[in-house]
């Protein structure tokens, strides 16, 4: 079966489809996931970068603001120091006037105290801090060490947070000041400027005043070894969430600021889940679609295969051509019928191309010599199909070509092998023709001798009309000469004898004819039985030639035999009859030259060859001359007489002996008939 879809699925075979499905889904899954992961990781990186940058910026801003604020406290202390070192006796009210503008922009400052030596003797603001005045650091064991450190080192220190008496916690910045003794006798002195800073106010103001946005902020202290040593602001948990860290050195220690986005850092978990979910959905959809396609394809293939195998199993050729007259598919039978055009019968090729290939290869016997004309007629019939037509192929087969147009404009073609039917029809026609010929011939062959017999018999009935009789009558009445009378009688006798002879010859001919017809009839009815008996081939052939020598001699032909003395078992009467037919024909159809009978034999068979130099037989007549009533050339035959039964009878007789008869011939140069039969007819299971 050749079909268009075969070529369409050449790349993907049906059995590969499930594998292709799985591979496609897997690849799609991998690809989709890979792509999604790439996109996700890109987005994630971006958002992480953004978050990191944003958080870093905030941390830096807080650190900067904090530093700025602490510097401000130092500036306050420095300002007080520079004044107090020049005016050590500054009164409480002067001190207040000095400090008030300095702390105006620092709301986290609770108070600023000033000690002369270890005793606090001035404070701002005075209100609410009256109790501070007079405090002697030497009576405060928790503070004396810090005070001494400040005085000894001359450095400003920031302590805390420390618990306040009035509640809350605060940082304490202490800065020393030193007063040189002057010439008037005052001795050098020193003291400490203490700036008390409310922790909550300081840190909240700074953190919240710098737009921390959606961030969680925590500030903790680090010891000189950079280990955390207490939380200053916010929740310690911030430091457990991979915060952005920024440190602010405070002496040998530091404050560490930690910042994280309030919602945490961008996570890839949800994105990955989304990616996988998307991949799964995509693959599901693709898988479903492919499965649906596969199911449709499979059911289509099943129907198509059923149709194909049904079409392929029909005994006749089938082909379908589309609207453009291109072959859609054809079954094997179709392609086999047109064996010379086999290569051109493929889907997609046009009907015209296939015909042209056939014409080139000599596929269509009727087209030979008139190819273009035939092509036009054939195409016209194909495009407007009407009645089925018969087509003769190069190999002698006959096809019945039936074509119809479908409503869609396709052409459906059937090719039915009608060779046997055609041959039977031809045989029937030939047989009919042969019978007609036979009737013509037979009526002639019967009438001619019968007319002679009747005519001569009438003469014999009424001798008085004969010239010789009249001569005898006259001699008897007018002449007394005995010799004259004898001569007249002899003439009459001769004429009567001649007539009797003609009657006998015609009767013999008639008898032969009737015998032939009867033999043939018997053979047809299978009534002839062989009576095999031992005989010698040479002797048998001799009896044949003896009877025919005269005929050959009459035509001036030689009749030679070169036959071996082969003992054999056969029906002598029938074998002789067969040989007489063949040798008789050789004489009958030879005008000059001669006939040569020879033999060959082996252990099982003997072959008798009858060769003549006669008119010969054309090759196309070889087979049919053995059919009954067939005469090749009516003119020659008529001249030679005959019934067309001889060879048919001969073949039957030879076949009954288990043998066969063949002919070889060159037209105009002669023929050789070869009879081949078993040496012992009894050993064969023949019809005898
Ligand atoms: P017929 O009675 O006509 O001879 P046959 O059956 O014997 O009938 O022969 C059939 C035909 O075969 C003959 O009519 C003749 O045309 C042809 N034929 C037979 N033998 C020969 C031959 N030796 N040479 C030429 N033609 C022959």
């Amino acid at each position: 079966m050749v079909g268009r879809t075969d070529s369409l699925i050449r790349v993907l075979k049906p059995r590969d489809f499930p594998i292709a499905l799985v591979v496609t889904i897997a690849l799609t899954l991998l690809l989709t996931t890979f792509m999604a992961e790439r996109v996700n990781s890109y987005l994630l990186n971006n958002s992480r970068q953004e978050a990191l940058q944003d958080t870093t910026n905030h941390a830096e801003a807080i650190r900067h603001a904090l530093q700025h604020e602490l510097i401000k406290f130092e500036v306050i202390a420095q300002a007080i120091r520079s004044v107090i070192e020049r005016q050590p006796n500054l009164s409480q009210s002067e001190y207040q006037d000095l400090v008030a503008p300095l702390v105006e922009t620092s709301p986290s400052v609770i108070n600023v105290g000033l000690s002369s030596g270890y005793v606090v003797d001035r404070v701002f603001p005075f209100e609410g801090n009256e109790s501070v005045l007079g405090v002697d650091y030497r009576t405060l064991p928790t503070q004396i060490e810090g005070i001494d450190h400040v005085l000894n080192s001359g450095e400003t220190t920031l302590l805390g947070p420390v618990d306040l008496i009035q509640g809350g916690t605060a940082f304490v910045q202490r800065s020393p000041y030193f007063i040189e003794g002057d010439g008037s006798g005052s001795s050098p002195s020193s003291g400490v400027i203490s700036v008390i800073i409310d922790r909550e106010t300081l840190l909240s103001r700074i953190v919240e005043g710098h737009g921390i946005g959606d961030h969680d902020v925590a500030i903790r202290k680090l010891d000189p070894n950079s280990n955390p040593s207490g939380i200053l602001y916010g929740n310690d948990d911030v430091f457990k969430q991979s915060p952005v860290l920024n440190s602010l050195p405070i002496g040998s220690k530091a404050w560490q600021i930690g910042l994280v986005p309030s919602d945490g850092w961008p996570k890839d978990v949800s994105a990955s889940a989304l990616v996988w979910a998307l991949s799964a959905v995509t693959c599901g959809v693709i898988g479903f679609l492919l499965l649906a396609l596969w199911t449709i394809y499979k059911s289509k293939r099943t129907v198509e295969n059923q149709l194909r195998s049904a079409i392929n199993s029909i005994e006749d050729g089938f082909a379908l051509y589309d609207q453009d007259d291109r072959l859609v598919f054809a079954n094997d039978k179709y392609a086999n019928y047109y064996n010379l055009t086999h290569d051109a019968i493929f889907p997609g090729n046009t009907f015209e191309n296939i015909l042209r290939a056939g014409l080139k290869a000599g596929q269509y016997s009727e087209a030979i010599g008139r190819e273009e004309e035939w092509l036009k007629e054939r195409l016209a019939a194909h495009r407007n199909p009407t009645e089925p037509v018969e087509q003769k192929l190069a190999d002698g087969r006959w096809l019945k070509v039936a074509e119809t147009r479908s409503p869609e404009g396709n052409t459906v073609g059937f090719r039915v092998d009608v060779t046997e039917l055609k041959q039977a029809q031809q045989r029937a026609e030939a047989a009919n023709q042969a019978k007609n010929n036979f009737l013509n011939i037979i009526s002639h062959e019967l009438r001619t001798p019968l007319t002679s017999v009747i005519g001569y018999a009438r003469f014999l009935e009424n001798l008085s009309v004969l010239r010789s009789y009249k001569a005898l009558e006259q001699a008897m009445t007018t002449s007394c000469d005995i010799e004259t009378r004898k001569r007249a009688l002899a003439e009459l006798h001769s004429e009567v004898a001649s007539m009797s002879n003609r009657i006998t010859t015609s009767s013999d001919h008639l008898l032969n004819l009737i015998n032939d017809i009867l033999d043939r009839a018997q053979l047809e009815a299978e009534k002839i039985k062989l009576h095999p008996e031992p005989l010698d081939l040479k002797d048998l052939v001799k009896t044949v030639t003896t009877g025919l020598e005269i005929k050959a001699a009459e035509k001036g032909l030689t009749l030679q035999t070169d036959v071996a003395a082969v003992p054999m078992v056969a029906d002598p009467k029938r074998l002789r009859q067969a040989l007489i037919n063949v040798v008789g024909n050789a004489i009958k159809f030879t005008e000059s030259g001669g006939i040569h009978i020879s033999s060959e034999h082996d252990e099982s068979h003997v072959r008798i060859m009858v060769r003549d130099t006669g008119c010969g037989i054309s090759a196309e007549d070889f087979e049919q001359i053995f059919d009954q009533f067939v005469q090749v050339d009516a003119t020659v035959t008529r001249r030679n007489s005959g019934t067309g039964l001889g060879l048919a009878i001969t073949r039957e007789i030879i076949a009954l002996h288990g043998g066969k008869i063949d002919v070889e011939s060159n037209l105009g140069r002669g023929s050789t008939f070869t009879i081949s039969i078993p040496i012992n007819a009894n050993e064969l299971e023949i019809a005898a």
Side-chain angles (χ1 to χ4, degrees), residues 141 180 187 224 230 241 328 381 443:
E180 311 260 324
S187 56
Q241 297 171 35
V328 178
S443 59

Side-chain angles (χ1 to χ4, degrees), residues 585 588-589 612 615 617 625 630-632 637 642-644 646-647 673:
N585 277 347
K588 201 158 60 171
F589 295 103
D612 66 50
C615 61
I617 305 157
I625 56 172
V630 170
Q631 295 179 311
V632 172
T637 309
T643 58
L647 286 180
F673 283 82

Side-chain angles (χ1 to χ4, degrees), residues 170-214:
F171 299 107
V172 180
Q173 179 190 279
R174 295 194 199 279
S175 307
Y177 70 89
F178 301 96
I179 300 166
E180 311 260 324
D182 57 12
S184 63
S186 60
S187 56
S189 63
S190 62
V192 174
I193 306 158
S194 299
V195 182
I196 311 302
I197 308 149
D198 184 67
R199 184 184 71 153
E200 196 57 35
T201 311
L202 170 72
L203 296 179
S204 306
R205 205 175 135 262
I206 286 176
V207 171
E208 283 154 23
H210 283 86
I212 54 165
D214 298 329

Side-chain angles (χ1 to χ4, degrees), residues 355-356 359 370-383:
L355 285 186
R356 284 195 183 281
L359 287 173
R370 52 183 292 270
E371 280 80 3
E372 279 305 314
E373 209 181 325
W374 183 89
L375 181 72
K376 268 187 207 153
E377 290 166 11
R378 182 69 192 92
L379 282 174
H382 175 76
R383 279 160 196 164

Side-chain angles (χ1 to χ4, degrees), residues 146-334:
I147 297 291
D148 280 341
H149 173 74
V150 169
L151 289 172
N152 294 335
S153 67
E155 288 176 357
T156 297
T157 60
L158 186 67
L159 303 172
V162 294
D163 293 331
L164 294 174
I165 303 161
Q166 63 268 37
T169 54
F171 299 107
V172 180
Q173 179 190 279
R174 295 194 199 279
S175 307
Y177 70 89
F178 301 96
I179 300 166
E180 311 260 324
D182 57 12
S184 63
S186 60
S187 56
S189 63
S190 62
V192 174
I193 306 158
S194 299
V195 182
I196 311 302
I197 308 149
D198 184 67
R199 184 184 71 153
E200 196 57 35
T201 311
L202 170 72
L203 296 179
S204 306
R205 205 175 135 262
I206 286 176
V207 171
E208 283 154 23
H210 283 86
I212 54 165
D214 298 329
H215 289 85
D216 290 344
V217 183
I219 302 172
R220 63 184 175 185
K221 285 204 302 181
L222 298 181
D223 65 15
N225 297 321
S226 299
N227 292 321
S229 58
I231 195 84
L232 298 177
Y233 177 83
N235 194 331
D236 194 31
D237 280 350
V238 169
F239 291 101
K240 294 172 187 160
Q241 297 171 35
S242 310
V244 167
L245 299 173
N246 208 330
S247 294
L248 178 65
I250 309 282
S252 62
K253 301 175 186 174
W255 287 4
Q256 190 175 48
I257 305 154
L259 240 82
V260 291
S262 301
D263 297 337
W265 295 106
K267 294 190 185 83
D268 58 351
V269 179
S270 58
S272 281
L274 182 72
V275 166
W276 283 101
L278 271 175
S279 295
V281 170
T282 313
C283 291
V285 170
I286 292 172
F288 176 77
L289 287 177
L290 285 175
L291 209 69
L293 275 176
W294 167 238
T295 311
I296 294 167
Y297 171 78
K298 233 171 76 174
S299 64
K300 197 171 159 268
R301 279 292 289 179
T302 309
V303 173
E304 204 175 285
N305 283 342
Q306 282 170 346
L307 195 64
R308 277 165 186 277
S309 82
I311 290 172
N312 230 11
S313 64
I314 43 181
E315 283 297 304
D316 305 316
F318 176 88
L320 178 68
Y321 289 87
D322 64 15
Q323 293 100 323
D324 301 328
D325 225 4
R326 290 182 184 281
L327 184 67
V328 178
F329 61 81
N331 66 3
D332 296 339
K333 206 81 181 176
Y334 184 89

Side-chain angles (χ1 to χ4, degrees), residues 516 581-582 585-590 612 614-617 624-633 636-637 641-650 665 670-671 673:
D516 269 2
N581 275 339
V582 176
N585 277 347
I587 296 169
K588 201 158 60 171
F589 295 103
T590 303
D612 66 50
C615 61
I617 305 157
Q624 54 167 337
I625 56 172
F626 293 99
D627 290 344
Q628 53 185 337
F629 307 129
V630 170
Q631 295 179 311
V632 172
D633 181 342
V636 177
T637 309
S641 83
T643 58
L645 285 169
L647 286 180
I649 292 169
T650 301
S665 184
S671 316
F673 283 82

